[in-house]
Amino acid sequence: MTKTVTTTPYTDQKPGTSGLRKKVPVFQQQNYAENFIQSIFDSLEGFAGKTLVIGGDGRFYNREVIQIAIKMAAANGFGRVLVGRGGILSTPAASHVIRKYEAFGGIVLSASHNPGGPTEDFGIKYNIGNGGPAPEKVTDAIYAHTKTITTYKIADVADVNLDAEGEQDVAGMTVQVINPVSDYAELMETLFDFPAIRAHLAGGFRIVFDAMSAVTGPYAKEILENRLGAAKGSVLNFVPLPDFGGHHPDPNLVHARALYEEMMGDDAPDFGAASDGDGDRNLIIGKGIFVTPSDSLAMLAANATLAPGYAKGLAGIARSMPTSGAADRVAEKLGIGIYETPTGWKFFGNLLDAGLATICGEESAGTGSSHVREKDGLWAVLLWLNILAVRKESVIDIAREHWTTYGRNYYSRHDYEEVDSAAANGLMDALRAQLGTLPGRKLGDLVIETADDFSYHDPVDQSVSNNQGIRILFVGGSRVVFRLSGTGTSGATLRVYIERFEPDAAKHDVDTQVALADLIEAADTLAGIKERTGRTEPTVIT
Ligand code: G1P
Ligand code: ZN
């Protein structure tokens, strides 16, 4: 019932920041997905008879690859596969299911916030037994196998029925189709004060959540409307669609513009939020105020003990290097550890496993905690709702008070998408070549204090990750960071992260782009962005 198929390697299966991401037609090449999945299995040991979790964000090609992965898991000797009904599992729900059922690992099919459809993006990511993305030593091993693969194993059986919950046999392996929402919803009930949130909503607190036609729809419907009693219709675009309705399921000010406009209007609800394609990112907007993800991390950490799951306090906070320093000030005040990691959630796994950090976040709308090993969009929404229900203040008042206490880190990211790869690499190389001469250099009123290419020394396993982004720090705590995206699927994406620290509360009401104007100009002067990329302005400003 199982067969061994001869194949030849593809040369482009190197996993990026978050697994292997390519356009659907690339994945549709003969044996492309099979090669990568077999390479995952070939780099693992000791999974015979164990459980594998499989699920995805429902995007185009999800069901096809799920069938392949199940049949290959059977042929490679797994004992059981847990798969979400309809092939659906949000990324944080997959992480939870892996942990809860003590699975060996999981395969998560998603390209996160990238568009979906026949010519858009698809992705395959492997998560290890702690529920988190595989660390670099595993992804490096997977890549090595993709370069030498000669055969893969697959069960020669009919497709599994993904739409009926319960157990089925696939070539001697058990496939259990599970409810994709219930385990996750139960976990949320253990972390947050559902009765307090329910009472707050019943008292007239109005929310809107945009699921962006992506995977969080069923989760948000069940938790926000059914369990917490938010008004019917509070969850928008809640049916996951293979092409996300033709939109980018990316919860930022560009792709969730309608939500933003609504929240800035006179009759805005009290709280607005959105999540991305696979449910791990979040956008938080209060009535009249967008909360940057960096600020959200700091504000959530500062108020976390108001939620039952965090009442005992936080062990520490971790943030990716490009994320603003707002969380650092909270950690300092709380007297807890603060960890600065490279971009990508996988770097938080060790800190969470070792109990060094409880809450983690990235500027790219990712926030999460030790409850799973992925970032978690709905978790962030629920922690905000818990805090709002207890404090009974508006988001804007909570933000203003936070800035008054800690100072405000004005923050923005400028992305230049689909830039010519050679031009982007040239820009980074030229910056790197200048690093030694930058300290002391003046750009208008700005004086460069230090400049480096970020290296991370993992305090848990002592591994070192070099070349993680160029940091230019100015006297007074302002900063510009340059790095190239590791998740793009065509050309290169240059990300420029700009941050200004403003301790004076009298200056906390300035438009962000205005507050950052001189730093934005300095970034162009230092890197020659316009000249090298030919772009006069960023593709996306968040
Ligand atoms: C981007 C974000 C990063 C996030 C990753 C996966 O990676 O910047 O914070 O972890 O997506 O969601 P990048 O494209 O910058 O490599
Ligand atoms: Zn995502």
Side-chain angles (χ1 to χ4, degrees):
M1 269 214 283
T2 67
K3 58 180 181 181
T4 300
V5 181
T6 304
T7 186
T8 48
Y10 286 92
T11 54
D12 63 347
Q13 296 196 319
K14 186 173 169 50
T17 311
S18 221
L20 182 68
R21 289 199 192 157
K22 300 282 175 196
K23 298 283 177 208
V24 167
V26 174
F27 269 104
Q28 285 170 328
Q29 296 173 92
Q30 195 182 20
N31 300 339
Y32 195 87
E34 289 86 343
N35 276 15
F36 191 70
I37 294 169
Q38 187 64 51
S39 299
I40 294 174
F41 295 155
D42 287 347
S43 24
L44 306 175
E45 269 170 32
F47 57 77
K50 302 259 170 71
T51 299
L52 182 71
V53 173
I54 303 179
D57 63 10
R59 67 179 57 229
F60 189 88
Y61 213 43
N62 192 50
R63 281 177 175 261
E64 288 82 347
V65 176
I66 284 187
Q67 295 290 352
I68 293 170
I70 291 173
K71 292 174 195 175
M72 290 184 64
N76 278 274
F78 277 94
R80 176 181 282 266
V81 159
L82 299 178
V83 59
R85 180 172 23 84
I88 292 284
L89 275 179
S90 77
T91 293
S95 183
H96 176 53
V97 169
I98 293 170
R99 295 166 67 77
K100 179 171 175 180
Y101 297 102
E102 296 178 355
F104 187 86
I107 290 181
V108 184
L109 306 176
S110 168
S112 189
H113 52 288
N114 294 0
T119 58
E120 298 294 354
D121 291 4
F122 190 77
I124 303 181
K125 184 168 86 159
Y126 180 70
N127 282 25
I128 58 175
N130 75 351
E136 247 162 27
K137 61 175 188 306
V138 177
T139 54
D140 287 349
I142 295 171
Y143 181 45
H145 279 285
T146 66
K147 292 192 279 194
T148 57
I149 187 166
T150 55
T151 58
Y152 66 85
K153 282 188 241 160
I154 189 161
D156 198 6
V157 293
D159 278 1
V160 170
N161 177 2
L162 293 173
D163 298 305
E165 284 175 32
E167 294 189 352
Q168 301 165 50
D169 177 81
V170 173
M173 179 187 80
T174 304
V175 174
Q176 187 181 349
V177 178
I178 59 171
N179 180 306
V181 176
S182 52
D183 291 313
Y184 178 83
E186 260 167 44
L187 174 66
M188 294 299 115
E189 294 218 31
T190 67
L191 298 174
F192 302 115
D193 190 344
F194 272 44
I197 302 174
R198 208 177 292 124
H200 199 45
L201 291 168
F205 188 84
R206 283 198 297 143
I207 65 170
V208 55
F209 179 90
D210 188 349
M212 304 190 88
S213 306
V215 80
T216 42
Y219 295 84
K221 265 265 171 209
E222 170 63 17
I223 295 171
L224 299 176
E225 293 189 9
N226 297 348
R227 299 199 185 198
L228 289 169
K232 290 274 170 272
S234 300
V235 179
L236 309 173
N237 303 311
F238 55 86
V239 179
L241 300 174
D243 67 348
F244 309 116
H247 300 296
H248 274 251
D250 191 354
N252 64 28
L253 298 185
V254 176
H255 298 299
R257 194 73 201 171
L259 177 71
Y260 177 78
E261 303 289 350
E262 181 182 357
M263 293 306 299
M264 296 302 128
D266 290 339
D267 189 34
D270 299 292
F271 181 81
S275 191
D276 72 329
D278 61 331
D280 57 0
R281 294 188 177 201
N282 69 87
L283 170 70
I284 303 293
I285 312 179
K287 180 174 181 156
I289 182 176
F290 158 61
V291 183
T292 69
S294 294
D295 271 350
S296 180
L297 171 67
M299 292 169 192
L300 291 177
N303 293 283
T305 52
L306 300 178
Y310 305 93
K312 292 199 192 107
L314 308 178
I317 308 173
R319 65 164 173 85
S320 68
M321 181 275 281
T323 303
S324 97
D328 303 30
R329 296 172 195 283
V330 174
E332 196 185 323
K333 185 150 184 224
L334 294 175
I336 57 176
I338 177 84
Y339 301 88
E340 188 176 31
T341 61
T343 295
W345 204 261
K346 62 188 172 202
F347 292 99
F348 295 137
N350 280 348
L351 299 171
L352 292 166
D353 283 350
L356 294 172
T358 308
I359 287 193
C360 309
E362 293 194 273
E363 51 65 42
S364 54
T367 336
S369 88
S370 50
H371 69 291
V372 289
R373 291 295 178 276
E374 290 278 4
K375 55 195 179 231
D376 188 345
L378 265 173
W379 171 90
V381 170
L382 291 168
L383 181 49
W384 263 105
L385 289 176
N386 193 143
I387 291 165
L388 290 161
V390 175
R391 288 187 54 167
K392 300 191 171 62
E393 293 164 73
S394 65
V395 175
I396 206 165
D397 287 346
I398 289 176
R400 287 228 169 91
E401 196 219 280
H402 186 96
W403 294 333
T404 304
T405 307
Y406 297 97
R408 178 170 179 183
N409 291 69
Y410 282 100
Y411 188 86
S412 183
R413 187 176 95 189
H414 289 197
D415 290 338
Y416 298 80
E417 293 175 345
E418 296 189 33
V419 169
D420 174 69
S421 293
N425 286 318
L427 181 150
M428 294 298 287
D429 289 343
L431 271 174
R432 226 169 259 127
Q434 300 178 51
L435 287 175
T437 64
L438 289 179
R441 181 165 162 194
K442 284 195 180 135
L443 295 131
D445 291 337
L446 297 164
V447 181
I448 298 177
E449 191 165 85
T450 57
D452 67 4
D453 194 348
F454 181 60
S455 280
Y456 179 59
H457 299 250
D458 186 307
V460 180
D461 66 13
Q462 311 307 330
S463 60
V464 176
S465 305
N466 292 319
N467 297 65
Q468 297 295 324
I470 290 176
R471 305 191 282 189
I472 303 194
L473 289 98
F474 298 91
V475 174
S478 295
R479 208 174 61 138
V480 180
V481 172
F482 299 86
R483 61 179 282 282
L484 299 183
S485 159
T487 59
T489 52
S490 47
T493 293
L494 169 68
R495 304 203 195 282
V496 187
Y497 310 80
I498 309 130
E499 173 179 0
R500 150 161 284 126
F501 178 62
E502 179 52 72
D504 183 356
K507 295 181 185 155
H508 285 170
D509 252 337
V510 181
D511 173 80
T512 298
Q513 299 304 316
V514 173
L516 299 174
D518 58 340
L519 288 156
I520 293 168
E521 201 185 309
D524 188 46
T525 308
L526 290 166
I529 303 170
K530 291 195 182 99
E531 194 190 313
R532 286 177 177 273
T533 66
R535 302 289 175 83
T536 52
E537 52 185 44
T539 330
V540 178
I541 295 180
T542 50

